[in-house]
Amino acid sequence: MKRTGVRGVLLGSCLAAVVGTAAPGTAYAVDNLPPNQPRIADLQTNFKPCATGDEPTWTGQPPVLTATLSDPAEDDRLGYPERVTGEFEVWWTDASGAEQRRTLTTYPQYTDQLHRVTAPSDIPADTIVSWRVRANDGTVNGAWSSDSPGAACRFVYDDENPAAPVISSPEYPAETWWVGGVGVYGSFTMDSPSSDVAEYRYTFEGGPTGTVRPTELGGPATIRFAPQRHGSQRLYAEARDRSGRMSPPTSYNFYVKAASAPVAEWKLADPAGSTTAAAETGKPAEAGSGVTFGGPAPFGTGLTTGATLDGSSHAYLTTGSPAVDAAKTFAVGAWVRPAETGRPMTVASQDSTGRAAYSLGLDAPVAGTARWSFTVGDAKIEGGAPEVGEWAYLLGLYDTETGYAQLFVNGHEVGSKAKATPTASDGAFQIGRIRAKTGYKHRWNGALGDVRVYDRLVVPAEVSELARRKPKLLGHWSFSTEADGATPEQNGGAPLKLTPGATIYRNTNDSCIPDIDPDCTYQRPPLVGEGNLRLDGDTGYAATDGPVVDTGDSFTIGVRVRIADEDATRPMTVLSQAGEHTDAFKLRYEPTTYSWQLIVPERDEAGAPERVVARAEMPSGSSGWGIHLAVVYDDATDTLTLYTDSYTDAGATVHLPNGWKSTGALTVGRGRTADGWGEYVKGDVDELQAYQGALKDVLGMGWETDPCLCTD
């Protein structure tokens, strides 16, 4: 490397002048400086930073030693960087006290490149091993990395895996039948006999997975876990020592009891005229004069009646004592239907000193939008959109293990969970009001049902089940028979009346093979079963006398249809249900986009804005034997979804916050147009089914059997 400085520059100038006049072939030497001393920051032991202090790097295998080596930039020759080799020296003291040294050399590489060697295979285990490195540019060695101000790197090779951990749990002892319970926390301690364990890795069957470190090296570590389901469960754990070596896994089996009942529950289904709400568990609740029993209840929940509170100062129920220890994990839930949303209202709360320890209800800021809310201490979670006259299931949850409070509406978490500090509470549980410094306020106006309080976690599957509303079959038309100009509903409900051009097609000659029997003409069999509705595309349609589904609430309707490809040259409406001025929904085929469309006007007005979703499918289905179409409106989530052959996608779902109730007939085969009625279907229709409620799985609709009534 050339020396720098004023003198070096002058010397170089003189030499250049001499060379310029020398005879050809004459060689002249120049000064060469040694390569740079490797920096500690550029050294690694098994890809971990070089350890130079009292604590060496621990490694579970003979390590890879790496160093970035360089030669100063002034040593370039005609613009080409120097090549350098690396000399690694490794040493230790053996069992007899003698020093052992090994030298390893790398191939030449350009400056600033990474040099890598593997430590000798004969290094002893559990012994401090040191190493250093220096660079050589082919002429001279650079300084060792251990020379001042550097230091030698140190490591210890561990050739033994840690012992498998022992797992124990006081709440969930191994191989013991039916302990703990769903949503009940337990402690699980992992303890390996090995003294150098740095962490434990664990996996509960079905989740979660994680790692946990002991408070000191080689010590035990404890995690907290609340089972999400009952029955046999398993925990797997491994110990990892400081060198990275893993132990064999340990499997721990335990058996979880079913979820416990709420500590307090009032269905509020007491006879009309009652002054007390009977408790399924816990204490009865005395009712104020503003509470009326025998009111409405949400369908599909098993509740027969509910309680109606009038929002007055007498609209409350109370137990006179707390329902749960609010400083520990708890949950509170209820079915609610507000009669107004313009002011704050309380579903349930528990008294503390001059305030409530927690409350569940409706919040309505003066200049904002109403939201459901759950408050624990000073923390509040808000979310969802309350609607007058609409049932919703609310559940607030506080988890003392995590410190978070959460709010669920209709089985789904809303808002953002919040850290909460609970307030001490030994006051009474309240339904329909909340305690303040000056007395009670925010009284509920509307209907309530099935108020529950838990002293444990309510797990997500339970929340979904509590909010589930089993759909109710409203009508099933199989189009197999006709009598007096109508086709009957399977269960004796309202028939569909047939107009000229609409007939029930029943084929008894579908086994005819013209190539064998020239006297027969092959006809397709019905779509499903013994017959289907056949429409002429001109005047034919079928309709009920009035509405079948309540389009202002959750509903599901499905139908199987086949339109020949050669006939699909214009829009055709398969299903519609009329309002006064327009259709509440219209399910149609649109040939210009080769898709099935669901069209929903935002209000019952001619020319009202429309929400439109679509799925690209052939008019006769992928097989040519028909396609099943289903419409699902979920009022709880304000979503409207179109399914084709049980499939959907994001483009076939639309947000519909305010579905409106239609009053007209359900019609098969035509829909409203700007000129009146039109878009008559030419094709076959079969297996029309309608439900109150939102089916979560439409698989099976369009066949003779009822579909799955799954909700998850």
Side-chain angles (χ1 to χ4, degrees):
M1 176 181 186
K2 296 177 182 177
R3 298 189 183 275
T4 58
V6 175
R7 183 175 179 180
V9 172
L10 292 175
L11 178 60
S13 300
C14 294
L15 288 173
V18 172
V19 170
T21 60
T26 304
Y28 292 88
V30 296
D31 292 329
N32 183 66
L33 291 180
N36 295 324
Q37 180 184 15
R39 299 186 311 155
I40 296 298
D42 292 334
L43 311 183
Q44 290 187 326
T45 303
N46 239 18
F47 310 104
K48 298 178 182 178
C50 165
T52 61
D54 294 335
E55 183 60 32
T57 299
W58 288 80
T59 175
Q61 58 187 15
V64 173
L65 312 179
T66 58
T68 299
L69 305 179
S70 64
D71 199 42
E74 294 89 344
D75 212 25
D76 290 357
R77 298 289 186 264
L78 300 177
Y80 296 100
E82 282 276 328
R83 290 176 180 263
V84 296
T85 59
E87 181 184 356
F88 289 78
E89 188 174 62
V90 182
W91 71 95
W92 65 90
T93 300
D94 65 18
S96 66
E99 184 180 82
Q100 301 291 331
R101 285 185 179 264
R102 305 287 186 271
T103 300
L104 304 163
T105 304
T106 64
Y107 290 106
Q109 296 191 71
Y110 288 120
T111 186
D112 293 322
Q113 297 297 307
L114 188 70
H115 292 247
R116 177 185 303 178
V117 298
T118 300
S121 59
D122 63 341
I123 61 172
D126 301 320
T127 301
I128 293 179
V129 180
S130 302
W131 68 275
R132 61 183 183 174
V133 64
R134 65 182 177 182
N136 181 285
D137 64 3
T139 302
V140 64
N141 289 320
W144 286 106
S145 59
S146 59
D147 293 346
S148 181
C153 300
R154 291 150 51 89
F155 69 86
V156 175
Y157 165 49
D158 183 357
D159 65 348
E160 184 177 345
N161 292 334
V166 176
I167 304 175
S168 61
S169 172
E171 296 86 1
Y172 295 94
E175 304 297 347
T176 302
W177 291 95
W178 315 131
V179 291
V182 173
V184 177
Y185 275 100
S187 295
F188 293 81
T189 298
M190 293 158 280
D191 189 5
S192 169
S194 299
S195 61
D196 60 347
V197 170
E199 72 176 23
Y200 295 92
R201 297 181 179 180
Y202 63 89
T203 299
F204 286 94
E205 198 169 51
T209 64
T211 61
V212 60
R213 292 180 174 273
T215 56
E216 60 182 10
L217 190 69
T222 299
I223 57 174
R224 298 280 285 169
F225 172 70
Q228 304 291 294
R229 57 180 176 83
H230 77 279
S232 174
Q233 297 195 35
R234 185 170 298 172
L235 167 62
Y236 300 95
E238 298 171 288
R240 181 179 183 274
D241 67 19
R242 57 188 165 185
S243 72
R245 298 183 76 101
M246 300 298 298
S247 76
T250 296
S251 175
Y252 183 86
N253 299 324
F254 56 103
Y255 300 90
V256 181
K257 286 195 299 189
S260 61
V263 292
E265 179 182 7
W266 304 268
K267 288 191 177 295
L268 304 182
D270 304 89
S274 298
T275 58
T276 301
E280 303 295 312
T281 55
K283 294 184 177 181
E286 298 293 329
S289 59
V291 178
T292 303
F293 292 101
F299 81 89
T301 62
L303 297 175
T304 54
T305 61
T308 302
L309 284 68
D310 64 11
S312 70
S313 60
H314 302 289
Y316 68 90
L317 299 97
T318 184
T319 59
S321 60
V324 71
D325 185 346
K328 297 180 180 179
T329 296
F330 73 90
V332 56
W335 281 102
V336 304
R337 190 178 76 169
E340 58 178 310
T341 58
R343 64 177 180 86
M345 297 194 296
T346 301
V347 173
S349 67
Q350 189 163 299
D351 293 348
S352 185
T353 304
R355 62 180 298 181
Y358 61 84
S359 65
L360 181 69
L362 182 153
D363 194 25
V366 174
T369 303
R371 291 286 185 265
W372 299 116
S373 68
F374 177 52
T375 301
V376 177
D378 294 324
K380 178 185 285 189
I381 305 97
E382 296 181 320
E387 294 183 33
V388 172
E390 180 181 309
W391 285 103
Y393 188 79
L394 310 183
L395 186 132
L397 173 66
Y398 171 67
D399 183 351
T400 189
E401 299 281 342
T402 64
Y404 280 103
Q406 296 171 273
L407 173 62
F408 297 84
V409 177
N410 294 318
H412 303 279
E413 185 176 2
V414 298
S416 299
K417 63 181 180 181
K419 280 284 187 180
T421 301
T423 301
S425 170
D426 57 3
F429 183 75
Q430 307 288 340
I431 298 174
R433 64 181 183 178
I434 186 173
R435 187 179 181 87
K437 291 182 179 179
T438 57
Y440 291 100
K441 61 179 183 178
H442 298 169
R443 292 168 174 83
W444 182 261
N445 181 15
L448 298 174
D450 198 18
V451 178
R452 299 180 177 215
V453 184
Y454 295 85
D455 63 351
R456 59 173 177 83
L457 287 184
V458 178
V459 301
E462 288 183 281
V463 178
S464 297
E465 183 62 24
L466 287 168
R468 187 173 80 97
R469 299 172 71 177
K470 184 178 180 180
K472 175 185 177 182
L473 181 65
L474 300 174
H476 182 178
W477 295 267
S478 59
F479 301 107
S480 295
T481 61
E482 174 186 356
D484 299 325
T487 187
E489 194 275 325
Q490 280 195 170
N491 300 307
L496 281 163
K497 295 181 178 180
L498 307 179
T499 64
T503 58
I504 300 301
Y505 169 72
R506 294 171 60 86
N507 176 32
T508 59
N509 199 30
D510 58 356
S511 61
C512 166
I513 304 177
D515 291 342
I516 298 176
D517 183 0
D519 294 329
C520 74
T521 301
Y522 174 77
Q523 299 181 50
R524 279 194 175 193
L527 286 174
V528 180
E530 298 179 355
N532 62 234
L533 177 65
R534 176 155 290 178
L535 302 170
D536 66 356
D538 187 17
T539 59
Y541 67 92
T544 58
D545 286 334
V548 172
V549 296
D550 180 355
T551 55
D553 201 351
S554 298
F555 72 89
T556 302
I557 191 164
V559 69
R560 183 164 291 277
V561 60
R562 178 175 60 204
I563 299 174
D565 294 346
E566 60 269 22
D567 294 328
T569 58
R570 57 179 175 79
M572 299 185 195
T573 295
V574 176
L575 289 178
S576 64
Q577 186 164 296
E580 184 177 353
H581 303 288
T582 188
D583 289 325
F585 70 86
K586 186 160 62 174
L587 184 57
R588 68 198 288 263
Y589 182 73
E590 175 51 65
T592 60
T593 56
Y594 303 98
S595 64
W596 289 96
Q597 291 182 338
L598 174 61
I599 301 175
V600 181
E602 293 183 4
R603 51 186 178 271
D604 190 7
E605 296 177 5
E610 296 174 332
R611 306 289 177 98
V612 181
V613 296
R615 276 185 60 80
E617 295 282 357
M618 296 300 292
S620 58
S622 59
S623 66
W625 286 87
I627 187 170
H628 181 256
L629 310 173
V631 176
V632 179
Y633 175 50
D634 189 345
D635 195 28
T637 59
D638 292 331
T639 54
L640 186 72
T641 303
L642 171 63
Y643 292 83
T644 57
D645 284 335
S646 302
Y647 291 97
T648 189
D649 53 42
T653 297
V654 67
H655 184 64
L656 187 67
N658 297 302
W660 52 274
K661 185 172 183 176
S662 65
T663 56
L666 174 67
T667 301
V668 182
R670 70 172 186 174
R672 286 262 182 86
T673 65
D675 300 326
W677 292 97
E679 299 187 352
Y680 287 84
V681 170
K682 183 177 183 181
D684 295 333
V685 177
D686 209 349
E687 287 300 310
L688 172 61
Q689 298 177 30
Y691 289 83
Q692 180 184 18
L695 283 176
K696 301 302 182 184
D697 187 350
V698 299
L699 184 65
M701 290 189 74
W703 304 105
E704 293 181 283
T705 56
D706 290 338
C708 170
L709 296 182
C710 308
T711 58
D712 294 313

